[in-house]
Amino acid sequence: MDIKVDKQHSNGKTFVFVAGEIDAYTAPKLREELLPLAEEQNQSLIVSLKDVSYIDSTGLGVFIGLFKLIMKNDGELKLVNLSDRLERLFQITGLSNIIDISTNSEVGYNETIS
């Protein structure tokens, strides 16, 4: 399985739309796409996982590293549009206690384009 990452910039925020499976094979590509964004000072990063069907421990590691880097640079990270399955994974691992996670988002893909 491959992974697709689309980025949109709107109103001072960066929206990232991820599709596919995030595993040991695809996590390096996701990391390569996301970490440069987190290096920017005061970055507001919103990542939609609506079209992500699976995340393994390597994928979770990407989000942990992303969170640490974005916090170091006084930014904010929000994960949105998680399926029930992914939300449960973040809850079980305790990551939902440190990363802002929402099953729904007030901002959808079409709204960021306009």
Side-chain angles (χ1 to χ4, degrees), residues 87-103:
E87 183 180 16
R88 181 158 163 70
L89 176 63
F90 278 87
Q91 288 173 345
I92 290 170
T93 59
L95 292 174
S96 62
N97 295 328
I98 59 169
I99 300 175
D100 188 0
I101 295 176
S102 174
T103 53

Side-chain angles (χ1 to χ4, degrees), residues 36-49:
L37 298 172
E39 291 173 347
E40 297 177 23
Q41 197 68 21
N42 300 312
Q43 175 69 270
S44 181
L45 188 59
I46 300 169
V47 181
S48 173
L49 300 178

Side-chain angles (χ1 to χ4, degrees), residues 61-76:
V62 170
F63 289 108
I64 293 167
L66 179 66
F67 175 77
K68 287 180 178 180
L69 185 56
I70 209 160
M71 291 297 110
K72 176 183 169 190
N73 292 315
D74 298 318
E76 62 180 12

Side-chain angles (χ1 to χ4, degrees), residues 25-44:
Y25 177 73
T26 61
K29 179 179 179 184
L30 182 63
R31 184 179 296 113
E32 180 181 297
E33 294 279 345
L34 295 180
L35 290 187
L37 298 172
E39 291 173 347
E40 297 177 23
Q41 197 68 21
N42 300 312
Q43 175 69 270
S44 181

